Amino acid sequence: MNFLSIIYQMSVYPLLGILVVRLVKLADDKLAPFDEDKAMVLESNLAVGLRKAGVCIGLFLALAGVLSGKSPSILTDLLDFLKAAALVVIFLFVTFELNARIILRKVKNDDAAAKGNVAVGAVEFSIYAGTGIIMNGAFSGEGGGLLAAGAFFILGQVALIIAFYLESAISRRNIQEEIELKGNLAEGIDMAGVLIAISIILRASIAGPFTGWIPGLEGFGVYFVLGLLALFIFKALAEKIFMPKVSYADEMDVQRNEAVAVFIAGIQIGVAVFIANSM
């Protein structure tokens, strides 16, 4: 790779990425029932800032996967990037709907964001960023094409939904109510940690060359089940090791201890990185 090629790739692709994010933001702004820019700039609405940041990070992560398998031709890379960008944008708006109708379904997400429900914003951030992480893995390999990326997008959304409801069931806490109706940021951070962590593991299961539908689907399923099990086990261990004198449920729902939630979420994400890199 020569010097001019490096300059080209370090300037053109980031600019294209910013352009895609800008276009998506404009479209999202048009669909929103309130002025999100005003909410961020004049009202310092953190919930809106988090959801927008999640969208941007998710888009950049997904598109970065396209660049990891560059061909000898810059023109081919550019065309692949533009095709993938169109698909990622479609995926993102599908994620908007799934998020509103299935995961955060007890409230209207836009209304919650407008009212400054940061807990909802934290979960939205993790869903969009997690989708981007999974898509990064789907686009990073060779041989599967856009069809495989679409299939793993669907599987990734199903996995995030299952992880959300399974965490709620295992914890025996009413996480949905705490996040959506009570605006409990500690619970929002805790759930965000789970969703980002499982996304990191799922990315590792699909990254690399596409070797066929059966191996790909089997690998995704196995790593999802075992990865989620490992995360829950290590999360419980972390609570006992690092917080032995307190009840984690009490810290989440009564004390609403955001510091504890951030700490445990960090451990979950760190464990997920270890698991992903051990595959």
Side-chain angles (χ1 to χ4, degrees):
M1 183 179 294
N2 59 44
F3 182 74
L4 289 177
S5 179
I6 293 174
I7 294 296
Y8 174 83
Q9 292 180 352
M10 291 183 65
S11 58
V12 172
Y13 289 116
L15 285 173
L16 285 173
I18 290 173
L19 178 60
V20 171
V21 171
R22 175 60 176 165
L23 292 174
V24 170
K25 182 183 180 300
L26 288 174
D28 187 39
D29 288 344
K30 292 291 184 182
L31 294 173
F34 66 99
D35 190 334
E36 293 184 314
D37 283 341
K38 178 183 176 181
M40 286 192 292
V41 176
L42 299 182
E43 301 170 9
S44 299
N45 189 321
L46 183 55
V48 176
L50 282 170
R51 74 182 335 198
K52 290 294 189 183
V55 170
C56 293
I57 290 174
L59 278 169
F60 277 120
L61 284 170
L63 293 175
V66 182
L67 304 180
S68 63
K70 295 186 288 292
S71 69
S73 168
I74 292 176
L75 180 59
T76 300
D77 288 338
L78 188 59
L79 291 174
D80 288 343
F81 181 89
L82 293 175
K83 288 189 291 185
L87 190 63
V88 168
V89 170
I90 294 171
F91 288 164
L92 186 67
F93 282 100
V94 171
T95 303
F96 288 164
E97 292 301 314
L98 292 176
N99 182 25
R101 297 176 185 274
I102 299 178
I103 297 180
L104 298 172
R105 57 186 175 80
K106 291 191 174 184
V107 294
K108 290 184 178 180
N109 292 8
D110 289 327
D111 291 346
K115 293 176 182 177
N117 189 329
V118 185
V120 167
V123 175
E124 287 190 304
F125 173 90
S126 67
I127 292 169
Y128 302 139
T131 298
I133 291 169
I134 295 170
M135 286 295 92
N136 179 279
F139 282 121
S140 66
E142 297 179 356
L146 299 182
L147 180 59
F152 285 118
F153 164 77
I154 295 171
L155 290 173
Q157 295 303 301
V158 172
L160 291 176
I161 291 168
I162 292 173
F164 181 90
Y165 284 103
L166 196 56
E167 166 68 5
S168 300
I170 291 175
S171 68
R172 297 183 180 180
R173 306 192 305 271
N174 196 337
I175 293 178
Q176 270 189 294
E177 181 177 325
E178 289 291 328
I179 292 173
E180 298 178 66
L181 303 181
K182 298 181 180 180
N184 186 338
L185 180 55
E187 285 286 14
I189 294 169
D190 183 71
M191 181 59 73
V194 172
L195 297 179
I196 290 176
I198 193 60
S199 298
I200 291 170
I201 294 173
L202 292 177
R203 183 211 175 275
S205 74
I206 58 178
F210 183 75
T211 57
W213 285 105
I214 294 178
L217 296 176
E218 285 181 347
F220 188 93
V222 168
Y223 281 113
F224 171 62
V225 173
L226 296 182
L228 201 56
L229 178 62
L231 281 179
F232 287 146
I233 291 173
F234 283 112
K235 182 183 179 184
L237 283 174
E239 292 168 11
K240 297 297 182 183
I241 293 171
F242 296 102
M243 305 287 168
K245 297 182 179 181
V246 299
S247 164
Y248 191 72
D250 183 70
E251 293 299 312
M252 292 298 99
D253 289 352
V254 179
Q255 305 299 328
R256 296 192 173 192
N257 194 326
E258 296 155 14
V260 169
V262 168
F263 181 68
I264 296 299
I267 292 175
Q268 289 183 83
I269 293 171
V271 168
V273 172
F274 262 59
I275 293 173
N277 282 275
S278 68
M279 294 178 180

